[in-house]
Amino acid sequence: MFIDSGKTKQIITSGVDDGVPQFTTTLRYFPKEELNCYDLALTNEEKFIFRAGFYYANYDGKSQPPVFDLLLGGQLWETVNSSASNGPIFHELIYNPINGNISVCLRAKKDGGIPFISSLEATYLMHDDSYNQTVYTKMKNGSSYHLVSRINFGGYNQVIEPWSPEYDEELNRYWMPQPMPGYVNLSFEYTVGEEYYENRPPTTVLNTAITPQNASQSIHVPITFPTTDPQSAYMVLYFYQNLNESETLNSTRYMDIYVDGFVRASVKFDEFRSGEVVTIYPLLVQDIANVTISPANGTVLSPLLNGMEVFIASELVEQPSFGYKISSSLMVVCVLHFIVIVLVVLD
């Protein structure tokens, strides 16, 4: 496709770059204008996952990774520090645009270097109330929810990627493994379609979990936030068990969920096959939040935890985009009858 601002660069990968997504090996950089914007013509006034990718890879031969601002709807989304990782950097948030159009802009900073971008995605989070296929129901219009972490517990080193034939991740999310020394990894067999859970967690997340060594112990998960300022967090916890016949007589699993020492929710499993998604919002956090899953009164089995998502909420007041506009073609794809992805082709 053709765009009329900036320049395109192809990154030549080597053995060092094994595992780098192919779509990040082409970038567009903007040496002239202070502000460059993509205007996205979205067809749905619903929640979208917006994700922008940046892979510097010393494409300019200067070994000077730039720092610049990423804007959504005219408001600061993130300050991109491309030296933060040797590999690709992704910034992701969930937001419900006010209307069908919204801009994503790159804004240069003084002495920050030349802005660039490798990928830009907007994924429509379609929901279906009739089958309990709701998505992030407590997220409010007018606020953006910036991803802090999305974890698949008990999944060893397995990264769950969207659109892979190995997984059934339908909402274009990446789930990262997190080693938890001292805990036992559990494996279950969840059957797709046996029951629907909010946010449609992939089977691979539901099929693995961590648990303490015995029923009297708790699970402790510290969550580190990007700043030490007080912030409002949106936290989602995923729980699922599918026990075999020898365990069905002792399938009771009661859990209390604490954040920084305060009880926020409880989960009770009385059936051998049980699942629940718990959303905690709003949640005031600062620097580090300590999540504890503890055994509750009457439990037989130890607590477990399958997955977790954590976001930071912030107000977003959309403004008209300004500066030099980039004309871009959009490709709209319907996947699995559930979601629509809008891909902005960068080269």
Side-chain angles (χ1 to χ4, degrees):
M1 68 149 269
F2 174 78
I3 60 177
D4 51 13
S5 176
K7 299 180 180 180
T8 300
K9 186 74 173 183
Q10 182 74 39
I11 295 173
I12 306 300
T13 60
S14 63
V16 178
D17 299 301
D18 287 346
V20 173
Q22 185 63 33
F23 63 83
T24 64
T25 59
T26 299
L27 61 82
R28 180 162 285 272
Y29 63 102
F30 306 96
K32 293 184 178 181
E33 303 294 334
E34 178 182 352
L35 187 72
N36 292 274
C37 298
Y38 286 93
D39 286 338
L40 306 186
L42 306 179
T43 57
N44 301 88
E45 296 180 22
E46 298 286 352
K47 298 185 188 76
F48 280 79
I49 293 179
F50 294 90
R51 181 163 56 236
F54 307 88
Y55 184 35
Y56 174 62
N58 197 26
Y59 77 89
D60 54 4
K62 297 180 179 180
S63 298
Q64 296 178 347
V67 177
F68 52 92
D69 289 336
L70 175 66
L71 310 180
L72 178 68
Q75 299 293 316
L76 181 65
W77 171 353
E78 192 71 53
T79 295
V80 178
N81 182 355
S82 57
S83 67
S85 171
N86 291 328
I89 297 170
F90 294 96
H91 293 292
E92 178 182 320
L93 59 76
I94 296 178
Y95 178 65
N96 186 345
I98 294 175
N99 53 55
N101 298 295
I102 194 168
S103 64
V104 176
C105 302
L106 307 177
R107 183 175 63 192
K109 298 176 74 71
K110 183 179 180 180
D111 300 324
I114 296 174
F116 73 95
I117 188 168
S118 304
S119 65
L120 180 59
E121 304 164 77
T123 305
Y124 170 44
L125 298 180
M126 182 177 177
H127 65 270
D128 186 343
D129 293 330
S130 61
Y131 290 96
N132 193 31
Q133 293 189 355
T134 54
V135 288
Y136 305 106
T137 53
K138 293 187 178 182
M139 289 188 175
K140 300 178 180 179
N141 293 344
S143 292
S144 58
Y145 296 83
H146 302 245
L147 180 67
V148 175
S149 61
R150 180 179 290 119
I151 305 170
N152 173 33
F153 290 105
Y156 303 95
N157 294 321
Q158 186 178 33
V159 178
I160 299 176
E161 300 178 341
W163 323 128
S164 168
E166 299 179 51
Y167 314 116
D168 61 338
E169 167 52 53
E170 300 173 348
L171 300 183
N172 196 23
R173 297 168 297 191
Y174 289 84
W175 298 78
M176 307 304 294
Q178 178 167 314
M180 297 291 290
Y183 294 93
V184 177
N185 289 335
L186 300 177
S187 296
F188 302 114
E189 291 186 6
Y190 169 82
T191 303
V192 176
E194 71 178 38
E195 188 168 353
Y196 295 106
Y197 297 105
E198 183 180 0
N199 309 332
R200 296 202 289 280
T203 298
T204 320
V205 170
L206 298 180
N207 278 345
T208 62
I210 56 171
T211 189
Q213 299 286 344
N214 60 66
S216 64
Q217 295 177 323
S218 299
I219 297 172
H220 302 279
V221 182
I223 303 296
T224 302
F225 292 91
T227 71
T228 58
D229 298 329
Q231 303 164 90
S232 178
Y234 188 106
M235 186 176 296
V236 188
L237 305 173
Y238 297 87
F239 302 91
Y240 178 80
Q241 70 176 22
N242 188 358
L243 307 178
N244 58 44
E245 293 182 1
S246 64
E247 299 170 303
T248 55
L249 296 178
N250 296 305
S251 59
T252 301
R253 196 187 305 265
Y254 296 165
M255 299 169 279
D256 289 329
I257 303 168
Y258 295 80
V259 181
D260 292 334
F262 294 93
V263 177
R264 299 293 183 175
S266 296
V267 174
K268 291 188 175 183
F269 288 169
D270 289 309
E271 303 293 334
F272 73 96
R273 182 187 296 125
S274 303
E276 188 168 340
V277 177
V278 175
T279 299
I280 304 173
Y281 177 73
L283 179 65
L284 184 64
V285 297
Q286 189 171 355
D287 193 15
I288 296 177
N290 293 292
V291 180
T292 303
I293 316 296
S294 294
N297 291 335
T299 191
V300 173
L301 300 176
S302 57
L304 57 69
L305 180 60
N306 303 68
M308 174 186 289
E309 293 180 282
V310 181
F311 303 84
I312 288 295
S314 62
E315 185 179 6
L316 197 160
V317 180
E318 288 185 41
Q319 297 178 358
S321 60
F322 53 93
Y324 193 87
K325 302 290 182 62
I326 301 173
S327 62
S328 59
S329 65
L330 301 179
M331 180 170 62
V332 181
V333 183
C334 181
V335 181
L336 298 179
H337 306 291
F338 287 126
I339 65 177
V340 175
I341 297 182
V342 181
L343 300 176
V344 179
V345 185
L346 299 176
D347 59 350

